[in-house]
Every structure is written in C-alpha cells, then in structure tokens.
Amino acid sequence: MSQALNNDAPLLSRNMLAVIVAQFFSAFGDNALLFVTLAVLKNQFYPDWSQPILQMLFVATYILLAPFVGQMADSFAKGRVMMFANSLKLLGALVICFGFNPFLGYTLVGIGAASYSPAKYGILMEITSGERLVKANGLMEGSTIAAILLGSVAGGILADWNLVAALVVCAMTYAMAVVANIFIPRLTAARPGQSWHFGAMLRSFIAATKLLWRNGETRFSLLGTSLFWGAGVTLRFLLVLWVPVALGISDNKTPTTLNAMVAIGIVIGAAAAAKLVTLQTVRRCMPAGVLIGVMVVVFALQTSLLNAYLVLMLIGALGGFFVVPLNALLQERGKASVGSGNAIAVQNLGENTAMLLMLGLYTVAIKLGAPAVATGVGFGAIFAVAIAVLWWKARK
C-alpha cells in the first residue's frame, strides 16, 4: 500500500537510509563495471578511441529517454521505479558477463541508469524538504562518491586479477541494489494519471524544458551541472590515457585509484557545501567551478603520482562544493513548477548532451593523435572560461 509523503521526518529517517543504501550499491556497480568493461575492451584489442564510444552509448540513452523517464518517476512510486532500473542494470551486467557484446550490455546499463536518475533524486523531495534538502543531497552525493571510490578501485583491482570474477562481482552488486530497493516504502506517486501517449509525453517534456529554461535560477542550475558532468566524464577517460604517458604506468588499478581521489574530494566538498551554502546563497559555489578548470590544467602538467593524487582530491572537493547546491536548487524550484522527476529528467538531458559533446571532442582529439597532456590542458581551460561566463551572466 502506498504511503503519504512525510516531509517532516528527520533527515536520517528509515526512508532516507533505504534510499542511501540502494544508491550506494547501484553506484558501486556502475563504477566497477565501467572499469571492468574498459579492461574487457583492452583484453579484446579494441582501439583506444573505442573507450569513449562506450561511454557515449551510455549517455545517449539519457538523451533519448529524457522525455519519458521523468514522467515515469512521477507517475509511479519512485522506490519501485528505482528497483526496475536496477534490474535493467543487472541484466546489462549479465550480458557482458556471459560474453556477449560489451557495447550492448553497457547500453542496457545506461537505459537502467537513465530510468534510475530522476527517481533517486526526485524521491529526496518526498522524504525531506526546505533547507534539509541541501543536506539530503549531501548525503546522496556522499553515498554516491563513497561508491565511486570503492567501486572504481575494486573494478581496477579485480580486472587486473580476473575479468570473469570482476564481472560476477558487478552483477552481484546490482542484485544487492535490487534487494535494497525493496525496503524503500512505496510512497504515493507525485503526479499519477498523466497521458502515456508518445506525442503528449514529448510535448509535456518540451514544455517542462522551456519552463525551466526561462527561469533564471533553474537555467543557472542546468547550465552549471551540465558543464560539470561533461568535464567530469571526459576527465575520467583522459586519466586512462594520461597515466601511461605522464607516469609510465600501464596497469588498470592506477587510473581507478586516481578517480578515487576525486571521489574523496567530492565527499569533502559536498560536506562543506551542506554547511556553508543554502538555497538563498547558492551563488557562493561559482568560484569553485572556475577553479575546477584551473586545477585540471595544473593536473595535466603533473609528472609525479603523489602530486596527481593531491591535485585530483582538490578538484573533487571543488566539484562537490560546486554541484551539490545546484542540484538542490533545481529540485526545490523544479518540484513547484514541473515536478521533481521531470526537472531531473530535463537536467539529465542537459548533462548528458554536454557529456556526449565533450566525449565526442575528446574522441576526435585522440583519433587525430593529440597528446593526452595537451588535451587535458585544453579541456581545463575551456571549462574554466565557460563557468566564468556563466557566473558573470548570473550576476547581471
């Protein structure tokens, strides 16, 4: 039986804990599977430029499904939507595990992830509210980043040890996420009874996108988070090629541990944002966004593993401080206008379009033989300038 919404529940309620645990297992599987699948591509002698293609297929599912997954999240109990999405991720992992095409399997995981995202963020508005929403987002980001940290490292270590065992662990992790979703109470659907006609859904999504884009605060959030995640996914793939060139290390573990340092930093930055930033002072996060680009340039020029660890941790801390308040702002303003699920779906469209474009540029650069260091410097500089322009326009 569905339960009524309870925005007066304490932050660490049973509902919140169930969501956080489910999110941890799901994100752990996502990050472990990425590095294990990259190792599968390397083991099967796919060319280097095929690696970002894998991620491009993943983010393309977000773009193609954006008009529909937000309505799905708002039309059904979000905990059940999350369980369905994690089941799709489990299926994708099993496809790769049983030796089928890794691009097909990873695309299925992408479909699950695209369906999962509006529900996992939208449910936060149903179990907390107001200023606690920033703290709830901090908990969600903390759980996600802990999963990125452990999942990335586990994926790299297991891939170096045994690829089949690594794939089995990824599948088991998704299975645990499905089980955890069972313990999320079936809350009342936010917007039941909407039309499921394709044309009506597409028109509704376009209307929601226009409404959020016209509002200065939600446009600010959409642009900021899109730039951040576009740069973030590019940095992740850049590390895979940068490590052997700059550090002379060719294993699978080192790029994953470097990604883990970013994850540790994001936990620190998210905690700082929860204490120092409110919905009224959200623009305090913008200097951190500009500094992210500057530090990516600094990172690309490093030749010491210790320095790389430290710079990446700082990049992560700046990233957590930058993106957490922007997520909370969009959820708060989006719930009142288009529904939290639709707002997150529009955000996913923006973020994944940015990812697709940046990964496309990165793939072209690698295919043309651009050095990894020069590519990193270029992307960092572009990001810093883009966030500076966004900040300047937001202050006008």
Side-chain angles (χ1 to χ4, degrees), residues 151-223:
S152 298
V153 174
I157 293 174
L158 289 171
D160 280 336
W161 173 57
N162 187 292
L163 272 179
V164 174
L167 289 167
V168 169
V169 169
C170 292
M172 290 176 61
T173 303
Y174 285 133
M176 288 187 284
V178 172
V179 172
N181 285 136
I182 296 172
F183 294 93
I184 299 175
R186 184 176 294 183
L187 302 170
T188 303
R191 295 188 172 198
Q194 298 183 79
S195 172
W196 288 93
H197 187 272
F198 176 83
M201 292 175 69
L202 188 59
R203 286 191 297 272
S204 176
F205 179 77
I206 292 172
T209 302
K210 289 180 177 178
L211 188 61
L212 292 173
W213 189 257
R214 289 193 192 109
N215 181 278
E217 289 186 315
T218 50
R219 181 173 65 247
F220 170 68
S221 175
L222 289 169
L223 287 171

Side-chain angles (χ1 to χ4, degrees), residues 48-349:
D48 287 343
W49 56 263
S50 70
Q51 295 179 0
I53 296 295
L54 183 77
Q55 189 71 18
M56 289 170 71
L57 289 171
F58 184 90
V59 301
T61 62
Y62 276 83
I63 296 171
L64 294 174
L65 296 176
F68 316 111
V69 292
Q71 179 168 318
M72 183 171 69
D74 285 338
S75 297
F76 301 99
K78 289 182 173 62
R80 296 304 178 264
V81 175
M82 293 165 70
M83 183 165 63
F84 167 75
N86 278 323
S87 298
L88 284 177
K89 292 183 180 184
L90 172 60
L91 177 61
L94 290 174
V95 166
I96 303 173
C97 190
F98 283 102
F100 296 101
N101 190 292
F103 293 94
L104 171 63
Y106 204 66
T107 300
L108 283 174
V109 175
I111 294 172
S115 305
Y116 186 79
S117 183
K120 79 174 181 182
Y121 281 112
I123 201 172
L124 295 181
M125 283 297 303
E126 299 183 357
I127 55 181
T128 189
S129 63
E131 293 306 324
R132 285 180 301 173
L133 185 58
V134 176
K135 293 181 172 61
N137 271 272
L139 286 175
M140 177 68 82
E141 293 299 330
S143 171
T144 303
I145 299 310
I148 291 172
L149 170 63
L150 296 174
S152 298
V153 174
I157 293 174
L158 289 171
D160 280 336
W161 173 57
N162 187 292
L163 272 179
V164 174
L167 289 167
V168 169
V169 169
C170 292
M172 290 176 61
T173 303
Y174 285 133
M176 288 187 284
V178 172
V179 172
N181 285 136
I182 296 172
F183 294 93
I184 299 175
R186 184 176 294 183
L187 302 170
T188 303
R191 295 188 172 198
Q194 298 183 79
S195 172
W196 288 93
H197 187 272
F198 176 83
M201 292 175 69
L202 188 59
R203 286 191 297 272
S204 176
F205 179 77
I206 292 172
T209 302
K210 289 180 177 178
L211 188 61
L212 292 173
W213 189 257
R214 289 193 192 109
N215 181 278
E217 289 186 315
T218 50
R219 181 173 65 247
F220 170 68
S221 175
L222 289 169
L223 287 171
T225 56
S226 296
L227 287 168
F228 174 78
W229 288 112
V233 74
T234 306
L235 176 62
R236 170 172 280 194
F237 281 88
L238 178 64
L239 282 174
V240 175
L241 297 184
W242 178 87
V243 166
V245 173
L247 304 179
I249 301 172
S250 58
D251 61 12
N252 293 304
K253 182 177 69 174
T254 301
T256 64
T257 55
L258 287 168
N259 271 283
M261 300 310 293
V262 178
I264 293 171
I266 292 181
V267 172
I268 297 169
K275 288 185 174 295
L276 301 175
V277 182
T278 68
L279 293 177
Q280 287 70 43
T281 61
V282 71
R283 284 181 174 81
R284 289 179 181 175
C285 72
M286 295 306 292
V290 176
L291 287 173
I292 292 171
V294 174
M295 295 313 298
V296 169
V297 173
V298 172
F299 165 76
L301 300 174
Q302 301 305 307
T303 56
S304 161
L305 183 59
L306 177 59
N307 288 345
Y309 281 141
L310 295 175
V311 174
L312 285 173
M313 185 184 294
L314 179 56
I315 290 173
L318 292 167
F321 193 85
F322 176 69
V323 79
V324 166
L326 293 181
N327 279 336
L329 177 67
L330 182 65
Q331 291 159 24
E332 177 73 22
R333 303 296 187 260
K335 181 187 179 184
S337 56
V338 299
S340 56
N342 278 320
I344 300 304
V346 173
Q347 183 185 40
N348 284 340
L349 175 64

